[in-house]
Amino acid sequence: MDVKNITLNDLHVALGGKMVPFAGFNMPVRYSSDKAEHLCVRQGVGVFDVSHMGEFFLEGPEALDLIQRVTTNDASKIVDGQAQYSCLPNQDGGIVDDLLVYRMSETKYMLVVNASNIEKDWNWISQFNTKGVEMTNASDEYSLFAVQGPKAVEVLQKITEVDLSDIKFYHFMTGEIGDVAEVIISATGYTGAGGFELYVKNADAEKLWKAVFEAGKDFDIQPIGLGARDTLRLEMGFCLYGNDIDDTTSPIEAGLGWITKFTKEFTNSDTFLLQKESGVDRKLVGFIMEDKGIPRGGYEIADAAGNVIGNVTSGTMSPLMNIGIGLGYVAVGHHKADSEIFIQVRNKSLKAKVTKLPLYKH
């Protein structure tokens, strides 16, 4: 499989970014250390280049109808300038992908999908497009920068006339920033640290990146890699497609019942309604290690008697809490907060506690 370069690949190499293949793209995994970059975002401001993400535009009078058919959340509830977290369910009770739905106007929407699933999602949505919705895959035309951290607003406000304090969480505006016109400025972060995502045409990507870093000089702004992105989202308990959710996990099992609305019919909605009403056998939980050890994806989870009750889907050492944290599926009955579970780490059974999300409490 050919690995693509994002638009600013050479810039990241020049900045010392360690480039690794991820979801079909060469991506910067880190520039300094995961811990330093993690703390930079939690305490100051950092910038992720996540231009590998996919962007689809759906236009026409039937655009909303198509979105309603293929996603679990109720997109009729969002207004112009609002975004919504949702997922694409499959016919087998699993998830094709999780995504963001942006309402640009009554007849125009942008869907933001995971990089590894761009072709899969496009093909999946296309098969339901029976009413002539105009679909455009603009993934190769856009770069995406996530400017994250408590200082992000202060930095970005220096280079835009748009009043950023007007953009509420899960809302967006299109405006000029860093002397670049028509940037989609969105408040839908994946770090829990605050900030904005900037969708910009590739031709203006370098100009905008440099403007952001110039504005952030006095705030010690840093480029941040995918390593810290993973530890930041894990502290918040946000799902990562391919780890915590996939084609075999249902949104009800994954704790995504809140984005699964039965006010409408959608792909396989009967199955998920049955799960909601009669319950599921396993649930995705967050946990914090009580014994010393780092949980990793794939490790088994056991009860006190040593019976296997599930498995870890994501795990790491929290840079802020200095303890092991993770997400994993466990049998129902072991999923409640404060339940004691045991992570099987190299023939050892290490104690952990099921913990309400987010795992890192601000």
Side-chain angles (χ1 to χ4, degrees):
M1 183 176 153
D2 288 339
V3 181
K4 288 182 173 177
N5 282 343
I6 52 176
T7 301
L8 299 189
N9 181 80
D10 295 352
L11 178 75
H12 296 302
V13 172
L15 288 169
K18 181 180 189 312
M19 308 300 285
V20 299
F22 177 82
F25 293 80
N26 282 315
M27 297 295 293
V29 67
R30 72 184 55 82
Y31 302 84
S32 54
S33 77
D34 292 348
K35 181 164 187 171
E37 292 175 23
H38 182 109
L39 297 176
C40 172
V41 172
R42 279 274 179 260
Q43 297 162 358
V45 57
V47 186
F48 303 85
D49 187 337
V50 282
S51 300
H52 60 321
M53 298 293 281
E55 294 86 16
F56 304 157
F57 288 94
L58 272 55
E59 291 181 72
E62 300 291 341
L64 176 61
D65 179 72
L66 175 56
I67 290 165
Q68 290 289 68
R69 276 192 286 160
V70 298
T71 64
T72 56
N73 211 335
D74 188 351
S76 71
K77 295 284 191 264
I78 56 174
V79 298
D80 294 0
Q82 191 175 1
Q84 182 183 70
Y85 181 55
S86 194
C87 73
L88 301 168
N90 64 25
Q91 306 284 18
D92 307 315
I95 299 171
V96 178
D97 200 5
D98 62 337
L99 75 164
L100 294 174
V101 177
Y102 286 75
R103 177 167 152 151
M104 323 296 283
S105 75
E106 193 181 350
T107 56
K108 183 177 182 181
Y109 294 79
M110 177 173 77
L111 308 184
V112 181
V113 303
N114 285 300
S116 55
N117 292 335
I118 291 171
E119 188 180 352
K120 173 186 167 191
D121 292 359
W122 178 264
N123 293 339
W124 181 261
I125 297 166
S126 296
Q127 69 178 329
F128 294 95
N129 184 16
T130 54
K131 298 183 183 175
V133 175
E134 186 186 330
M135 290 176 57
T136 308
N137 182 356
S139 305
D140 290 339
E141 295 167 31
Y142 279 87
S143 289
L144 173 56
F145 306 138
V147 186
Q148 296 284 293
K151 305 280 175 62
V153 178
E154 222 176 321
V155 168
L156 293 178
Q157 197 60 75
K158 290 167 68 175
I159 55 170
T160 184
E161 298 292 312
V162 173
D163 187 347
L164 298 176
S165 64
D166 279 351
I167 306 178
K168 300 196 293 276
F169 194 46
Y170 268 77
H171 286 72
F172 67 96
M173 290 173 79
T174 302
E176 186 174 300
I177 183 162
D179 290 328
V180 176
E182 291 190 21
V183 177
I184 299 168
I185 306 164
S186 162
T188 53
Y190 191 54
T191 63
F196 293 90
E197 290 70 52
L198 307 176
Y199 295 85
V200 59
K201 287 289 182 75
N202 289 337
D204 295 315
E206 188 166 359
K207 182 180 181 183
L208 181 58
W209 176 277
K210 288 182 170 171
V212 170
F213 274 80
E214 183 60 33
K217 268 200 313 202
D218 296 341
F219 299 87
D220 196 26
I221 195 168
Q222 301 290 330
I224 313 292
L226 292 178
R229 191 169 174 80
D230 197 46
T231 54
L232 287 156
R233 69 95 192 168
L234 247 178
E235 284 185 344
M236 302 313 295
F238 294 149
C239 290
L240 175 64
Y241 193 88
N243 287 42
D244 315 299
I245 50 176
D246 60 30
D247 289 300
T248 68
T249 59
S250 101
I252 308 300
E253 293 174 331
L256 298 177
W258 62 280
I259 63 164
T260 309
K261 301 287 166 51
F262 299 104
T263 48
K264 56 163 199 170
E265 279 189 24
F266 56 84
T267 312
N268 207 11
S269 50
D270 290 351
T271 298
F272 300 112
L273 182 58
L274 190 63
Q275 287 185 349
K276 187 184 179 185
E277 289 171 346
S278 57
V280 288
D281 296 332
R282 61 175 188 163
K283 287 263 174 98
L284 184 67
V285 298
F287 62 86
I288 291 178
M289 300 298 296
E290 296 199 320
D291 288 338
K292 263 195 165 161
I294 304 175
R296 299 288 184 205
Y299 287 3
E300 288 182 338
I301 301 174
D303 63 13
N307 303 305
V308 175
I309 54 165
N311 64 290
V312 177
T313 53
S314 291
T316 193
M317 173 69 79
S318 162
L320 264 178
M321 301 186 284
N322 282 316
I323 45 176
I325 59 171
L327 295 173
Y329 285 92
V330 297
V332 165
H334 300 274
H335 68 287
K336 292 192 170 67
D338 298 326
S339 296
E340 196 175 74
I341 57 173
F342 294 83
I343 313 301
Q344 309 303 295
V345 183
R346 296 193 203 89
N347 303 325
K348 285 186 187 161
S349 205
L350 302 181
K351 192 191 292 186
K353 187 165 74 175
V354 174
T355 308
K356 271 192 174 158
L357 301 176
L359 297 174
Y360 167 66
K361 315 284 196 261
H362 287 270

